[in-house]
Amino acid sequence: AGGAAAALEAERSRADAAAEAAAAAQAEVVTLRAELAAVSQRATEEVAVAQADTQAPRCGLVREETAAAMAKLKAELESSRAVVGKSQAAAHEAHSALSAAKRELAASRAEVLRLKKGATGGASRGDQGAGAPAESEPAAGQRRPSSQLAGSRASSPGGRGCSGSSGSSGWPSRSPTAAVATDKTQKLFKAVIAEDLGQIERLLQQGASLEERNLAGLNAHDLAKERNKRRVLAWLRSRAPPAS
């Protein structure tokens, strides 16, 4: 953005200089036109005087001098017009470059703003992750958090299960080989994330399973544990069969 601002300032100076040159050339053209008009008027007056005089040779000389002066002034006028045209073209080019530099500066500022937003969003997500409550090691007889199940699932074919699970009313066995979630169970996962206990109960009554897992290998209880949905966890524990 700093480089674009410097380029914009340089193009602006160039445009101002070109505009000043065009104005000076235009002023010179006006001056030459005034001089041409004055010479023409003077020549006309001298021709009239010469015509009134009986000296014919002097009248012809005056005409020749007048024609030469007018030709010289016309040449200077054409040269000044050419200078004005070049100055105007340079001013137009400078203004075009200035507009391009302004667009580049705007694009650079937009890119800087986008990068700042991205950095701010990343820092915010990092702060949220740092502020999440840490899961403590469970005491004897308590259930382990789902984040600690990965190693035990890989080493134990049975996973962490409870004695006797029966459909939607029982506690899931959490076996790594559990069935892939059906549509109803997918809706159950969404209800768990939304902490909609009424919807969870309705889906379980309609056939959603607490044993089926999503693509990440998590069942409803694991997902609630993963997302720190404490109300859902408490509700699921209340539905767990009593320990034998």
Side-chain angles (χ1 to χ4, degrees), residues 162-240:
C162 296
S163 58
S165 61
S166 55
S168 61
S169 62
W171 190 252
S173 63
R174 309 194 186 204
S175 171
T177 59
V180 177
T182 60
D183 290 342
K184 287 187 175 60
T185 307
Q186 291 290 355
K187 294 179 180 179
L188 175 64
F189 293 151
K190 293 180 180 180
V192 168
I193 295 174
E195 290 189 283
D196 189 345
L197 299 182
Q199 179 69 358
I200 293 173
E201 186 173 8
R202 284 191 296 272
L203 289 169
L204 290 176
Q205 292 174 355
Q206 293 172 6
S209 175
L210 291 173
E211 298 178 356
E212 293 176 350
R213 300 177 183 274
N214 59 14
L215 296 178
L218 303 176
N219 57 25
H221 180 274
D222 295 337
L223 182 61
K225 194 75 172 179
E226 184 77 15
R227 298 298 183 93
N228 197 29
K229 304 298 183 181
R230 298 182 179 179
R231 292 177 59 234
V232 177
L233 286 172
W235 189 85
L236 290 175
R237 290 194 185 103
S238 70
R239 295 178 58 86

Side-chain angles (χ1 to χ4, degrees), residues 15-230:
D16 293 340
E20 290 176 0
Q26 190 69 31
E28 184 178 357
V29 169
V30 173
T31 302
L32 289 174
R33 284 178 177 173
E35 291 179 1
L36 179 60
V39 169
S40 179
Q41 179 66 27
R42 188 167 59 251
T44 302
E45 292 175 356
E46 289 181 0
V47 167
V49 172
Q51 286 178 349
D53 196 353
T54 57
Q55 300 178 356
R58 176 174 176 77
C59 180
L61 179 61
V62 169
R63 287 179 179 176
E64 291 177 359
E65 291 177 351
T66 301
M70 291 182 67
K72 181 180 179 181
L73 287 174
K74 285 181 179 179
E76 291 180 355
L77 180 61
E78 292 298 328
S79 176
S80 298
R81 286 176 177 173
V83 172
V84 170
K86 290 181 180 180
S87 298
Q88 289 177 346
H92 179 72
E93 181 181 357
H95 281 298
S96 298
L98 180 62
S99 298
K102 286 181 178 179
R103 290 192 296 270
E104 183 178 355
L105 178 61
S108 300
R109 287 176 175 172
E111 180 66 14
V112 169
L113 182 60
R114 185 185 67 81
L115 293 176
K116 285 183 178 180
K117 287 183 178 180
T120 304
S124 176
R125 288 191 294 271
D127 293 341
Q128 291 176 0
E135 295 183 352
S136 59
E137 187 67 22
Q142 294 182 347
R143 300 181 184 279
R144 296 177 61 193
S146 60
S147 59
Q148 300 177 5
L149 292 175
S152 62
R153 286 174 183 164
S155 60
S156 174
R160 184 194 68 181
C162 296
S163 58
S165 61
S166 55
S168 61
S169 62
W171 190 252
S173 63
R174 309 194 186 204
S175 171
T177 59
V180 177
T182 60
D183 290 342
K184 287 187 175 60
T185 307
Q186 291 290 355
K187 294 179 180 179
L188 175 64
F189 293 151
K190 293 180 180 180
V192 168
I193 295 174
E195 290 189 283
D196 189 345
L197 299 182
Q199 179 69 358
I200 293 173
E201 186 173 8
R202 284 191 296 272
L203 289 169
L204 290 176
Q205 292 174 355
Q206 293 172 6
S209 175
L210 291 173
E211 298 178 356
E212 293 176 350
R213 300 177 183 274
N214 59 14
L215 296 178
L218 303 176
N219 57 25
H221 180 274
D222 295 337
L223 182 61
K225 194 75 172 179
E226 184 77 15
R227 298 298 183 93
N228 197 29
K229 304 298 183 181
R230 298 182 179 179

